[in-house]
Amino acid sequence: GAGVSQSPSNKVTEKGKDVELRCDPISGHTALYWYRQSLGQGLEFLIYFQGNSAPDKSGLPSDRFSAERTGGSVSTLTIQRTQQEDSAVYLCASSPHRGPPGAEAFFGQGTRLTVV
Amino acid sequence: AQSVTQLDSHVSVSEGTPVLLRCNYSSSYSPSLFWYVQHPNKGLQLLLKYTSAATLVKGINGFEAEFKKSETSFHLTKPSAHMSDAAEYFCVVTVSGGYNKLIFGAGTRLAVHP
């Protein structure tokens, strides 16, 4: 597609339920990132995929969070047993290059998750 | 470890006056630095980037930033603010070593008054 696509754009879920957030990166981009933006806060790094390398999961806040990237393309972020503090906008970005000089990351519109 | 500090959480200027958004970084290596803008209810957009070429970088919408290694700064400026510049601005540094993990600053909210 023309840009990074995320779905759903909005998700309201009950506390304790599992949710899946999807990201379709720009075709051919080898790097994919997930970030979280809580209300009034900056972006919090969650996880980074680069090609076939093992992902950097160092930003995942708990073991309730996991992510996969199938076939080096689409990625799914899963949050199990959601809590109210998980409410945030989840942003996905993709980038065409591996390393410096820094390549621009293209961001999706995000998924706004509300846990009630 | 790499990090980035945006020195002001909020900046307010009058339309037509200069804009200065301050950013300091910490990096053990020669960093790549970016400024992203986020307008209300819109996605993040790249304003400009520094990747070890010219230290004065020009971006979109009249913005520019100067990389100063001695001061570990990458401040964003614009000579004359426009109402449409009101947004959240993020300074970003990449992790070194062939690994494009992005580290975001906390953001600066720019308000532009008539």
Side-chain angles (χ1 to χ4, degrees), chain B residues 43-86:
Chain B
L44 282 156
Q45 180 184 19
L46 180 69
L47 269 182
L48 49 80
K49 66 179 180 180
Y50 166 77
T51 57
S52 75
T55 55
L56 182 61
V57 182
K58 294 187 184 298
I60 62 172
N61 301 334
F63 283 93
E64 61 183 38
E66 186 171 9
F67 174 72
K68 292 187 176 180
K69 187 175 181 179
S70 61
E71 299 176 9
T72 60
S73 69
F74 190 58
H75 301 333
L76 182 70
T77 61
K78 183 174 180 177
S80 176
H82 191 273
M83 296 296 290
S84 62
D85 294 328

Side-chain angles (χ1 to χ4, degrees), chain A residues 33 35 37 41-43 45 48 56 58 91 95 97-105 107-109, chain B residues 32 34 36 38 41-44 46 49 51 90 94-95 97-106:
Chain A
Y33 317 75
Y35 289 86
Q37 187 175 29
Q41 303 294 313
L43 273 73
F45 167 78
Y48 166 74
D56 175 357
S58 61
L91 291 164
S95 175
H97 302 301
R98 174 178 172 82
E104 176 183 356
F107 283 82
Q109 294 292 316
Chain B
S32 293
F34 307 78
Y36 279 83
Q38 187 176 38
N41 299 316
K42 294 195 175 179
L44 282 156
L46 180 69
K49 66 179 180 180
T51 57
F90 294 96
T94 58
V95 170
Y99 190 113
N100 245 350
K101 177 177 171 180
L102 305 178
I103 306 298
F104 278 75

Side-chain angles (χ1 to χ4, degrees), chain A residues 17-39:
Chain A
K17 300 280 190 182
D18 298 352
V19 295
E20 286 189 351
L21 312 180
R22 178 186 169 101
C23 173
D24 281 276
I26 293 173
S27 178
H29 281 192
T30 57
L32 186 147
Y33 317 75
W34 282 99
Y35 289 86
R36 178 168 72 174
Q37 187 175 29
S38 301
L39 186 62

